[in-house]
Amino acid sequence: MNKLFRLLLVMTVLIGSVYYLYTETEAFDEFSTEEIPQNFEEEGAKILETLDPLTEAETYENLYSRLKQELEMISYYLPFGDKANPMTQADYNGEIQTVDREEELVAKINQKREEESLEEFEQLDELTVAARTKSSDMVDNDYVSLESEEYGGTKELMDRFGIPYHSVAGSISAGEEGVDEVFEELMSKDFSDYVVNENYTHVGVGYEEGGEYGHYWTVYFIEHQPEENIQSFEKEVFHLVNERREEHGLEPLKYDFELANVAREKSRDMRDSEYFAHESPNYGPPHEMINQFDIPNSGSAENIAAGQRTPEEVMEGWMNSDGHRANILHEDLTHIGVGYTQGGPYRTYWTQMFVRR
């Protein structure tokens, strides 16, 4: 009996989180504890310590993926609000079928890319959640359009979910239940170009049942550089700078990681405050910002850029500009830090900060 209680307790804690994230119903401060044992938190903590930790990026679909095998043939109650709301086996099966349909469509899309000798699309949790949100919004508000009164257009929805991208495309459909039919419809539209576009890297699929047409699908494609590429892009810019200096007989610059943190903050500041200028509304001009972060120097310079996709592209732009080129090839400068970030109106932001020591 004790083992059964412990199992149900874990499932209640974990699946409660899943249900809350997915349905966005009651807030946790309305959680009823009338029928929960006194040692609920203590027992739950002990059991949860034996499970693999969940990362911040893991959301509804990750949790279901991890719990799918353990929860076959189980029904349970979730104590939200003043009384328990039952989530039956049918409810659970419906959620699993939703995920399965989405994954099946992703698999068909990637099969097509494989046939075209292209890399498979990766899946981004936030992009999948955005697609599901869009499909749910169409069901709840009885419309079929890429424009939403609540979320705006595709770009606005990406920004609202904090999804960094260079390019984005969205496709919606309503009425088709089968994955094969949805895929055929997708390939018959202009969006077939996005399915087999080598520049697009990620796909997100969202399915929702209900509403006037019964079945609603949203597919988003984005061109997105994963987090691990950010630092590699920064390092590549550094190497390209020293290659150009070597071509002109100059000493290579040394990389300063603290200065790189300032450069990265400048790129993020431009993105978050939606400006593109050397003078920041939050930190002032470059030399003041560098001094605020206690970077030792006897002189400084800055290059910024926005919208370029690769280190080669941004370096080409800087080298074709007299002022930026002069900073890169300045013989008195000794150290450099590079900061790159994604998102915002220009999608990419680049900063080079130079100091003399």
PDB file of all heavy atoms in Angstrom, residues 169-200:
ATOM      1  N   ALA A 169       8.537  30.834 -41.378  1.00  0.00           N
ATOM      2  CA  ALA A 169       7.385  30.623 -42.255  1.00  0.00           C
ATOM      3  C   ALA A 169       6.375  29.777 -41.495  1.00  0.00           C
ATOM      4  O   ALA A 169       6.740  28.892 -40.721  1.00  0.00           O
ATOM      5  CB  ALA A 169       7.797  29.923 -43.549  1.00  0.00           C
ATOM      6  N   GLY A 170       5.096  30.050 -41.719  1.00  0.00           N
ATOM      7  CA  GLY A 170       4.053  29.312 -41.026  1.00  0.00           C
ATOM      8  C   GLY A 170       2.988  28.808 -41.987  1.00  0.00           C
ATOM      9  O   GLY A 170       2.668  29.471 -42.978  1.00  0.00           O
ATOM     10  N   SER A 171       2.460  27.614 -41.712  1.00  0.00           N
ATOM     11  CA  SER A 171       1.379  27.036 -42.510  1.00  0.00           C
ATOM     12  C   SER A 171       0.303  26.524 -41.579  1.00  0.00           C
ATOM     13  O   SER A 171       0.595  25.912 -40.550  1.00  0.00           O
ATOM     14  CB  SER A 171       1.916  25.885 -43.373  1.00  0.00           C
ATOM     15  OG  SER A 171       0.857  25.215 -44.031  1.00  0.00           O
ATOM     16  N   ILE A 172      -0.954  26.777 -41.921  1.00  0.00           N
ATOM     17  CA  ILE A 172      -2.077  26.284 -41.119  1.00  0.00           C
ATOM     18  C   ILE A 172      -3.031  25.515 -42.021  1.00  0.00           C
ATOM     19  O   ILE A 172      -3.103  25.740 -43.227  1.00  0.00           O
ATOM     20  CB  ILE A 172      -2.841  27.431 -40.426  1.00  0.00           C
ATOM     21  CG1 ILE A 172      -3.352  28.434 -41.467  1.00  0.00           C
ATOM     22  CG2 ILE A 172      -1.964  28.109 -39.384  1.00  0.00           C
ATOM     23  CD1 ILE A 172      -4.271  29.482 -40.899  1.00  0.00           C
ATOM     24  N   SER A 173      -3.740  24.581 -41.417  1.00  0.00           N
ATOM     25  CA  SER A 173      -4.794  23.866 -42.148  1.00  0.00           C
ATOM     26  C   SER A 173      -5.869  23.453 -41.161  1.00  0.00           C
ATOM     27  O   SER A 173      -5.604  23.300 -39.964  1.00  0.00           O
ATOM     28  CB  SER A 173      -4.236  22.647 -42.882  1.00  0.00           C
ATOM     29  OG  SER A 173      -3.769  21.677 -41.964  1.00  0.00           O
ATOM     30  N   ALA A 174      -7.087  23.255 -41.675  1.00  0.00           N
ATOM     31  CA  ALA A 174      -8.208  22.861 -40.825  1.00  0.00           C
ATOM     32  C   ALA A 174      -9.081  21.872 -41.586  1.00  0.00           C
ATOM     33  O   ALA A 174      -9.289  22.003 -42.797  1.00  0.00           O
ATOM     34  CB  ALA A 174      -9.028  24.084 -40.410  1.00  0.00           C
ATOM     35  N   GLY A 175      -9.572  20.880 -40.849  1.00  0.00           N
ATOM     36  CA  GLY A 175     -10.498  19.912 -41.429  1.00  0.00           C
ATOM     37  C   GLY A 175      -9.895  18.562 -41.711  1.00  0.00           C
ATOM     38  O   GLY A 175     -10.614  17.561 -41.723  1.00  0.00           O
ATOM     39  N   GLU A 176      -8.598  18.500 -41.986  1.00  0.00           N
ATOM     40  CA  GLU A 176      -7.946  17.227 -42.283  1.00  0.00           C
ATOM     41  C   GLU A 176      -7.533  16.536 -40.992  1.00  0.00           C
ATOM     42  O   GLU A 176      -6.826  17.120 -40.171  1.00  0.00           O
ATOM     43  CB  GLU A 176      -6.713  17.446 -43.164  1.00  0.00           C
ATOM     44  CG  GLU A 176      -7.010  18.070 -44.519  1.00  0.00           C
ATOM     45  CD  GLU A 176      -7.719  17.113 -45.453  1.00  0.00           C
ATOM     46  OE1 GLU A 176      -7.946  15.954 -45.073  1.00  0.00           O
ATOM     47  OE2 GLU A 176      -8.058  17.531 -46.584  1.00  0.00           O
ATOM     48  N   GLU A 177      -7.957  15.295 -40.829  1.00  0.00           N
ATOM     49  CA  GLU A 177      -7.607  14.552 -39.619  1.00  0.00           C
ATOM     50  C   GLU A 177      -6.341  13.734 -39.810  1.00  0.00           C
ATOM     51  O   GLU A 177      -5.482  13.671 -38.930  1.00  0.00           O
ATOM     52  CB  GLU A 177      -8.744  13.621 -39.211  1.00  0.00           C
ATOM     53  CG  GLU A 177      -8.433  12.793 -37.971  1.00  0.00           C
ATOM     54  CD  GLU A 177      -9.584  11.895 -37.563  1.00  0.00           C
ATOM     55  OE1 GLU A 177     -10.610  11.890 -38.278  1.00  0.00           O
ATOM     56  OE2 GLU A 177      -9.460  11.214 -36.533  1.00  0.00           O
ATOM     57  N   GLY A 178      -6.194  13.096 -40.958  1.00  0.00           N
ATOM     58  CA  GLY A 178      -5.074  12.196 -41.189  1.00  0.00           C
ATOM     59  C   GLY A 178      -3.775  12.927 -41.454  1.00  0.00           C
ATOM     60  O   GLY A 178      -3.748  13.962 -42.126  1.00  0.00           O
ATOM     61  N   VAL A 179      -2.678  12.382 -40.942  1.00  0.00           N
ATOM     62  CA  VAL A 179      -1.362  12.976 -41.134  1.00  0.00           C
ATOM     63  C   VAL A 179      -0.979  12.974 -42.606  1.00  0.00           C
ATOM     64  O   VAL A 179      -0.408  13.947 -43.115  1.00  0.00           O
ATOM     65  CB  VAL A 179      -0.314  12.222 -40.291  1.00  0.00           C
ATOM     66  CG1 VAL A 179       1.097  12.714 -40.610  1.00  0.00           C
ATOM     67  CG2 VAL A 179      -0.599  12.403 -38.800  1.00  0.00           C
ATOM     68  N   ASP A 180      -1.289  11.899 -43.332  1.00  0.00           N
ATOM     69  CA  ASP A 180      -0.955  11.820 -44.752  1.00  0.00           C
ATOM     70  C   ASP A 180      -1.621  12.953 -45.535  1.00  0.00           C
ATOM     71  O   ASP A 180      -0.998  13.568 -46.410  1.00  0.00           O
ATOM     72  CB  ASP A 180      -1.379  10.471 -45.339  1.00  0.00           C
ATOM     73  CG  ASP A 180      -0.539   9.315 -44.830  1.00  0.00           C
ATOM     74  OD1 ASP A 180       0.590   9.584 -44.341  1.00  0.00           O
ATOM     75  OD2 ASP A 180      -0.983   8.156 -44.914  1.00  0.00           O
ATOM     76  N   GLU A 181      -2.890  13.214 -45.236  1.00  0.00           N
ATOM     77  CA  GLU A 181      -3.615  14.266 -45.943  1.00  0.00           C
ATOM     78  C   GLU A 181      -3.019  15.643 -45.633  1.00  0.00           C
ATOM     79  O   GLU A 181      -2.892  16.491 -46.521  1.00  0.00           O
ATOM     80  CB  GLU A 181      -5.096  14.257 -45.563  1.00  0.00           C
ATOM     81  CG  GLU A 181      -5.882  13.075 -46.097  1.00  0.00           C
ATOM     82  CD  GLU A 181      -5.652  11.797 -45.307  1.00  0.00           C
ATOM     83  OE1 GLU A 181      -4.987  11.872 -44.246  1.00  0.00           O
ATOM     84  OE2 GLU A 181      -6.131  10.727 -45.739  1.00  0.00           O
ATOM     85  N   VAL A 182      -2.648  15.867 -44.363  1.00  0.00           N
ATOM     86  CA  VAL A 182      -2.052  17.148 -43.983  1.00  0.00           C
ATOM     87  C   VAL A 182      -0.715  17.334 -44.689  1.00  0.00           C
ATOM     88  O   VAL A 182      -0.391  18.425 -45.183  1.00  0.00           O
ATOM     89  CB  VAL A 182      -1.874  17.231 -42.452  1.00  0.00           C
ATOM     90  CG1 VAL A 182      -1.129  18.506 -42.060  1.00  0.00           C
ATOM     91  CG2 VAL A 182      -3.230  17.185 -41.760  1.00  0.00           C
ATOM     92  N   PHE A 183       0.066  16.263 -44.757  1.00  0.00           N
ATOM     93  CA  PHE A 183       1.365  16.344 -45.430  1.00  0.00           C
ATOM     94  C   PHE A 183       1.197  16.630 -46.913  1.00  0.00           C
ATOM     95  O   PHE A 183       1.911  17.464 -47.484  1.00  0.00           O
ATOM     96  CB  PHE A 183       2.138  15.042 -45.231  1.00  0.00           C
ATOM     97  CG  PHE A 183       3.484  15.031 -45.913  1.00  0.00           C
ATOM     98  CD1 PHE A 183       4.537  15.780 -45.415  1.00  0.00           C
ATOM     99  CD2 PHE A 183       3.670  14.274 -47.062  1.00  0.00           C
ATOM    100  CE1 PHE A 183       5.772  15.780 -46.054  1.00  0.00           C
ATOM    101  CE2 PHE A 183       4.900  14.268 -47.703  1.00  0.00           C
ATOM    102  CZ  PHE A 183       5.952  15.026 -47.192  1.00  0.00           C
ATOM    103  N   GLU A 184       0.257  15.954 -47.563  1.00  0.00           N
ATOM    104  CA  GLU A 184       0.011  16.185 -48.980  1.00  0.00           C
ATOM    105  C   GLU A 184      -0.434  17.626 -49.228  1.00  0.00           C
ATOM    106  O   GLU A 184      -0.021  18.262 -50.200  1.00  0.00           O
ATOM    107  CB  GLU A 184      -1.051  15.213 -49.495  1.00  0.00           C
ATOM    108  CG  GLU A 184      -0.564  13.772 -49.581  1.00  0.00           C
ATOM    109  CD  GLU A 184      -1.664  12.813 -50.001  1.00  0.00           C
ATOM    110  OE1 GLU A 184      -2.770  13.310 -50.327  1.00  0.00           O
ATOM    111  OE2 GLU A 184      -1.426  11.585 -49.991  1.00  0.00           O
ATOM    112  N   GLU A 185      -1.282  18.133 -48.337  1.00  0.00           N
ATOM    113  CA  GLU A 185      -1.732  19.522 -48.465  1.00  0.00           C
ATOM    114  C   GLU A 185      -0.550  20.476 -48.290  1.00  0.00           C
ATOM    115  O   GLU A 185      -0.431  21.472 -49.014  1.00  0.00           O
ATOM    116  CB  GLU A 185      -2.811  19.819 -47.417  1.00  0.00           C
ATOM    117  CG  GLU A 185      -3.400  21.213 -47.533  1.00  0.00           C
ATOM    118  CD  GLU A 185      -4.492  21.477 -46.509  1.00  0.00           C
ATOM    119  OE1 GLU A 185      -4.896  20.525 -45.812  1.00  0.00           O
ATOM    120  OE2 GLU A 185      -4.938  22.624 -46.420  1.00  0.00           O
ATOM    121  N   LEU A 186       0.311  20.161 -47.346  1.00  0.00           N
ATOM    122  CA  LEU A 186       1.482  20.993 -47.110  1.00  0.00           C
ATOM    123  C   LEU A 186       2.389  21.016 -48.345  1.00  0.00           C
ATOM    124  O   LEU A 186       2.885  22.074 -48.749  1.00  0.00           O
ATOM    125  CB  LEU A 186       2.259  20.461 -45.903  1.00  0.00           C
ATOM    126  CG  LEU A 186       3.463  21.281 -45.412  1.00  0.00           C
ATOM    127  CD1 LEU A 186       3.019  22.622 -44.851  1.00  0.00           C
ATOM    128  CD2 LEU A 186       4.227  20.502 -44.351  1.00  0.00           C
ATOM    129  N   MET A 187       2.588  19.852 -48.951  1.00  0.00           N
ATOM    130  CA  MET A 187       3.479  19.755 -50.108  1.00  0.00           C
ATOM    131  C   MET A 187       2.852  20.344 -51.372  1.00  0.00           C
ATOM    132  O   MET A 187       3.565  20.678 -52.321  1.00  0.00           O
ATOM    133  CB  MET A 187       3.865  18.297 -50.359  1.00  0.00           C
ATOM    134  CG  MET A 187       4.713  17.689 -49.264  1.00  0.00           C
ATOM    135  SD  MET A 187       6.259  18.598 -48.972  1.00  0.00           S
ATOM    136  CE  MET A 187       7.087  18.363 -50.549  1.00  0.00           C
ATOM    137  N   SER A 188       1.535  20.483 -51.387  1.00  0.00           N
ATOM    138  CA  SER A 188       0.875  21.038 -52.564  1.00  0.00           C
ATOM    139  C   SER A 188       0.880  22.556 -52.556  1.00  0.00           C
ATOM    140  O   SER A 188       0.620  23.195 -53.569  1.00  0.00           O
ATOM    141  CB  SER A 188      -0.568  20.537 -52.658  1.00  0.00           C
ATOM    142  OG  SER A 188      -1.357  21.058 -51.591  1.00  0.00           O
ATOM    143  N   LYS A 189       1.198  23.142 -51.417  1.00  0.00           N
ATOM    144  CA  LYS A 189       1.241  24.597 -51.298  1.00  0.00           C
ATOM    145  C   LYS A 189       2.655  25.094 -51.589  1.00  0.00           C
ATOM    146  O   LYS A 189       3.580  24.333 -51.820  1.00  0.00           O
ATOM    147  CB  LYS A 189       0.831  25.027 -49.883  1.00  0.00           C
ATOM    148  CG  LYS A 189      -0.591  24.667 -49.496  1.00  0.00           C
ATOM    149  CD  LYS A 189      -0.857  25.127 -48.066  1.00  0.00           C
ATOM    150  CE  LYS A 189      -2.268  24.825 -47.618  1.00  0.00           C
ATOM    151  NZ  LYS A 189      -2.521  25.235 -46.220  1.00  0.00           N
ATOM    152  N   ASP A 190       2.801  26.393 -51.550  1.00  0.00           N
ATOM    153  CA  ASP A 190       4.130  26.974 -51.704  1.00  0.00           C
ATOM    154  C   ASP A 190       5.057  26.555 -50.574  1.00  0.00           C
ATOM    155  O   ASP A 190       6.275  26.697 -50.682  1.00  0.00           O
ATOM    156  CB  ASP A 190       4.033  28.499 -51.742  1.00  0.00           C
ATOM    157  CG  ASP A 190       3.313  28.989 -52.997  1.00  0.00           C
ATOM    158  OD1 ASP A 190       3.294  28.235 -53.982  1.00  0.00           O
ATOM    159  OD2 ASP A 190       2.780  30.106 -52.974  1.00  0.00           O
ATOM    160  N   PHE A 191       4.473  26.034 -49.484  1.00  0.00           N
ATOM    161  CA  PHE A 191       5.299  25.673 -48.330  1.00  0.00           C
ATOM    162  C   PHE A 191       6.145  24.437 -48.581  1.00  0.00           C
ATOM    163  O   PHE A 191       7.007  24.113 -47.771  1.00  0.00           O
ATOM    164  CB  PHE A 191       4.432  25.494 -47.086  1.00  0.00           C
ATOM    165  CG  PHE A 191       4.006  26.795 -46.478  1.00  0.00           C
ATOM    166  CD1 PHE A 191       2.784  27.349 -46.825  1.00  0.00           C
ATOM    167  CD2 PHE A 191       4.836  27.479 -45.615  1.00  0.00           C
ATOM    168  CE1 PHE A 191       2.395  28.566 -46.296  1.00  0.00           C
ATOM    169  CE2 PHE A 191       4.451  28.694 -45.080  1.00  0.00           C
ATOM    170  CZ  PHE A 191       3.230  29.242 -45.413  1.00  0.00           C
ATOM    171  N   SER A 192       5.930  23.751 -49.693  1.00  0.00           N
ATOM    172  CA  SER A 192       6.827  22.650 -50.030  1.00  0.00           C
ATOM    173  C   SER A 192       8.248  23.156 -50.204  1.00  0.00           C
ATOM    174  O   SER A 192       9.219  22.430 -49.967  1.00  0.00           O
ATOM    175  CB  SER A 192       6.351  21.970 -51.316  1.00  0.00           C
ATOM    176  OG  SER A 192       6.356  22.887 -52.403  1.00  0.00           O
ATOM    177  N   ASP A 193       8.380  24.432 -50.598  1.00  0.00           N
ATOM    178  CA  ASP A 193       9.714  25.027 -50.735  1.00  0.00           C
ATOM    179  C   ASP A 193      10.426  25.106 -49.394  1.00  0.00           C
ATOM    180  O   ASP A 193      11.656  24.995 -49.332  1.00  0.00           O
ATOM    181  CB  ASP A 193       9.617  26.428 -51.339  1.00  0.00           C
ATOM    182  CG  ASP A 193       9.099  26.397 -52.773  1.00  0.00           C
ATOM    183  OD1 ASP A 193       9.239  25.344 -53.407  1.00  0.00           O
ATOM    184  OD2 ASP A 193       8.555  27.416 -53.231  1.00  0.00           O
ATOM    185  N   TYR A 194       9.667  25.309 -48.323  1.00  0.00           N
ATOM    186  CA  TYR A 194      10.282  25.386 -46.996  1.00  0.00           C
ATOM    187  C   TYR A 194      10.647  23.994 -46.481  1.00  0.00           C
ATOM    188  O   TYR A 194      11.639  23.838 -45.771  1.00  0.00           O
ATOM    189  CB  TYR A 194       9.347  26.097 -46.020  1.00  0.00           C
ATOM    190  CG  TYR A 194       9.076  27.529 -46.412  1.00  0.00           C
ATOM    191  CD1 TYR A 194       7.832  27.899 -46.920  1.00  0.00           C
ATOM    192  CD2 TYR A 194      10.064  28.504 -46.284  1.00  0.00           C
ATOM    193  CE1 TYR A 194       7.589  29.214 -47.303  1.00  0.00           C
ATOM    194  CE2 TYR A 194       9.820  29.822 -46.657  1.00  0.00           C
ATOM    195  CZ  TYR A 194       8.582  30.170 -47.167  1.00  0.00           C
ATOM    196  OH  TYR A 194       8.351  31.459 -47.552  1.00  0.00           O
ATOM    197  N   VAL A 195       9.853  23.013 -46.828  1.00  0.00           N
ATOM    198  CA  VAL A 195      10.149  21.639 -46.401  1.00  0.00           C
ATOM    199  C   VAL A 195      11.511  21.207 -46.914  1.00  0.00           C
ATOM    200  O   VAL A 195      12.272  20.534 -46.216  1.00  0.00           O
ATOM    201  CB  VAL A 195       9.047  20.672 -46.882  1.00  0.00           C
ATOM    202  CG1 VAL A 195       9.446  19.223 -46.600  1.00  0.00           C
ATOM    203  CG2 VAL A 195       7.719  20.993 -46.204  1.00  0.00           C
ATOM    204  N   VAL A 196      11.843  21.594 -48.140  1.00  0.00           N
ATOM    205  CA  VAL A 196      13.102  21.157 -48.755  1.00  0.00           C
ATOM    206  C   VAL A 196      14.097  22.305 -48.891  1.00  0.00           C
ATOM    207  O   VAL A 196      15.006  22.253 -49.714  1.00  0.00           O
ATOM    208  CB  VAL A 196      12.836  20.511 -50.128  1.00  0.00           C
ATOM    209  CG1 VAL A 196      12.031  19.233 -49.967  1.00  0.00           C
ATOM    210  CG2 VAL A 196      12.108  21.488 -51.059  1.00  0.00           C
ATOM    211  N   ASN A 197      13.945  23.329 -48.059  1.00  0.00           N
ATOM    212  CA  ASN A 197      14.872  24.461 -48.071  1.00  0.00           C
ATOM    213  C   ASN A 197      16.033  24.153 -47.133  1.00  0.00           C
ATOM    214  O   ASN A 197      15.846  23.932 -45.941  1.00  0.00           O
ATOM    215  CB  ASN A 197      14.146  25.739 -47.625  1.00  0.00           C
ATOM    216  CG  ASN A 197      14.982  26.988 -47.809  1.00  0.00           C
ATOM    217  OD1 ASN A 197      16.185  26.985 -47.561  1.00  0.00           O
ATOM    218  ND2 ASN A 197      14.346  28.051 -48.244  1.00  0.00           N
ATOM    219  N   GLU A 198      17.255  24.165 -47.659  1.00  0.00           N
ATOM    220  CA  GLU A 198      18.420  23.783 -46.855  1.00  0.00           C
ATOM    221  C   GLU A 198      18.752  24.806 -45.783  1.00  0.00           C
ATOM    222  O   GLU A 198      19.453  24.493 -44.816  1.00  0.00           O
ATOM    223  CB  GLU A 198      19.637  23.581 -47.747  1.00  0.00           C
ATOM    224  CG  GLU A 198      20.089  24.826 -48.490  1.00  0.00           C
ATOM    225  CD  GLU A 198      21.303  24.579 -49.365  1.00  0.00           C
ATOM    226  OE1 GLU A 198      21.765  23.420 -49.425  1.00  0.00           O
ATOM    227  OE2 GLU A 198      21.794  25.543 -49.977  1.00  0.00           O
ATOM    228  N   ASN A 199      18.254  26.038 -45.922  1.00  0.00           N
ATOM    229  CA  ASN A 199      18.561  27.069 -44.931  1.00  0.00           C
ATOM    230  C   ASN A 199      17.704  26.944 -43.675  1.00  0.00           C
ATOM    231  O   ASN A 199      18.108  27.415 -42.608  1.00  0.00           O
ATOM    232  CB  ASN A 199      18.374  28.466 -45.535  1.00  0.00           C
ATOM    233  CG  ASN A 199      19.400  28.769 -46.614  1.00  0.00           C
ATOM    234  OD1 ASN A 199      20.556  28.373 -46.500  1.00  0.00           O
ATOM    235  ND2 ASN A 199      18.970  29.442 -47.665  1.00  0.00           N
ATOM    236  N   TYR A 200      16.532  26.327 -43.803  1.00  0.00           N
ATOM    237  CA  TYR A 200      15.668  26.178 -42.633  1.00  0.00           C
ATOM    238  C   TYR A 200      16.139  24.984 -41.808  1.00  0.00           C
ATOM    239  O   TYR A 200      16.477  23.932 -42.349  1.00  0.00           O
ATOM    240  CB  TYR A 200      14.204  26.029 -43.047  1.00  0.00           C
ATOM    241  CG  TYR A 200      13.582  27.356 -43.397  1.00  0.00           C
ATOM    242  CD1 TYR A 200      13.786  27.930 -44.654  1.00  0.00           C
ATOM    243  CD2 TYR A 200      12.832  28.062 -42.467  1.00  0.00           C
ATOM    244  CE1 TYR A 200      13.245  29.170 -44.972  1.00  0.00           C
ATOM    245  CE2 TYR A 200      12.292  29.302 -42.769  1.00  0.00           C
ATOM    246  CZ  TYR A 200      12.500  29.848 -44.022  1.00  0.00           C
ATOM    247  OH  TYR A 200      11.972  31.073 -44.318  1.00  0.00           O
TER     248      TYR A 200
END
